[in-house]
């Protein structure tokens, strides 16, 4: 027992020394540049998934692209550490008819609506009744004034981004479609149980089924994030962002585009 404890202490100290050495080699004893970049966090944008298309590179390889439309995204509210306890920006995008907006939301949008040169609020301002509101955490130096418009030019080609959206809802599905189960044998005595998941493994102990067990249930319709996607092209005239690869959700769904947290170049 004593020898085992000594060996564990020695191995732990050795691993700690190796990790310290790696940190010193990577950052030369100074705070790493990557850590400094992470501390600066700018806002993302709200966009609508317009669909997918294809393009070809210089070598003739087909590249799948997702087209995202930045539909009138602007800053609606600024949240500061002195008042709310954290720094963030509430963004709004899209448009909605007045009859489809309840009074609390209309009052919130009217309160934070950008004023004109005379200091009076423009009631007939385009995108005044925004369809979608989302909040983005930012660092204090990345706060923007109310009314600031965010366009597709917020991103540049070649940049890595994270795209978050709600996946397509599949409804109530069985274990084979939902989890990839093999199912029961197709013949040899199987009766009315070809696509069942079989025994759940609950015996007298523990006498129940653990939460999270892979079973049949509702599939899809969950918020998911695809990380480190590449911005292929930006159309500043039509406010379109072309992303390489697929993003969650169907056409017409709202997505959040932010700078990638794992890749920076």
């Amino acid at each position: 027992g004593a020898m085992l404890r000594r060996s564990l202490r020695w191995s732990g100290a050795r691993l700690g020394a190796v990790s310290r050495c790696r940190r010193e080699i990577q950052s030369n004893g100074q705070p790493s540049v990557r850590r400094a970049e992470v501390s600066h966090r700018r806002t993302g944008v709200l966009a609508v998934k317009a669909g997918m298309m294809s393009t070809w590179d210089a070598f003739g390889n087909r590249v799948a692209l997702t087209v995202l439309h930045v539909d009138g995204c602007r800053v609606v509210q600024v949240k500061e550490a002195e008042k709310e306890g954290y720094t963030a920006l509430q963004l709004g995008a899209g448009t909605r008819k007045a009859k489809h907006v309840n009074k609390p939301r209309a009052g919130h949008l009217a309160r934070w609506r950008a004023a004109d040169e005379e200091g009076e609020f423009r009631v007939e301002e385009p995108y005044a009744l925004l369809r979608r509101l989302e909040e983005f955490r930012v660092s204090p130096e990345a706060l923007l004034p109310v009314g600031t418009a965010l366009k597709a030019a917020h991103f540049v080609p070649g940049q890595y981004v994270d795209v978050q959206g709600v996946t397509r809802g599949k409804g109530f599905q069985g274990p084979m479609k939902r989890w990839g189960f093999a199912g029961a044998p197709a013949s040899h005595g199987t009766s009315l149980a070809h696509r069942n998941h079989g025994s759940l493994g609950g015996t007298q102990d523990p006498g129940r089924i653990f939460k999270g067990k892979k079973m049949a249930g509702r599939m899809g319709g969950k918020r998911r994030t695809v990380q480190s996607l590449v911005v292929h092209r930006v159309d500043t005239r039509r406010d379109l962002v072309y992303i390489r690869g697929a993003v969650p959700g169907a056409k017409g769904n709202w997505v959040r585009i932010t700078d990638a947290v794992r890749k920076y170049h």
Side-chain angles (χ1 to χ4, degrees), residues 45-52 66-71 93-94 131-134 163-170 220-224 240-241 246-257:
V45 299
L46 285 173
V48 179
K49 182 176 179 179
M52 296 193 69
T66 301
V67 184
L68 304 177
H69 177 213
V70 183
D71 185 13
R131 176 173 290 274
R132 186 78 172 187
L133 294 178
E134 291 279 349
V163 182
Q164 184 181 88
V166 179
T167 59
R168 289 172 177 263
K170 303 291 184 178
K222 295 183 179 179
R223 185 179 290 268
R224 292 291 181 262
L240 299 178
V241 182
V247 303
K251 290 191 296 184
N253 282 17
W254 290 95
V255 296
R256 295 163 56 103
I257 314 175

Side-chain angles (χ1 to χ4, degrees), residues 191-229:
S191 299
L192 305 178
H194 299 282
R195 299 183 63 87
N196 289 5
H197 45 56
S199 174
L200 300 179
T203 58
Q204 184 174 357
D205 184 18
R208 62 188 179 89
I209 302 300
F210 291 114
K211 290 185 177 181
K213 181 71 173 179
K214 292 182 179 180
M215 300 171 62
R218 181 172 292 183
M219 181 180 177
K222 295 183 179 179
R223 185 179 290 268
R224 292 291 181 262
T225 303
V226 181
Q227 294 184 316
S228 303
L229 297 176

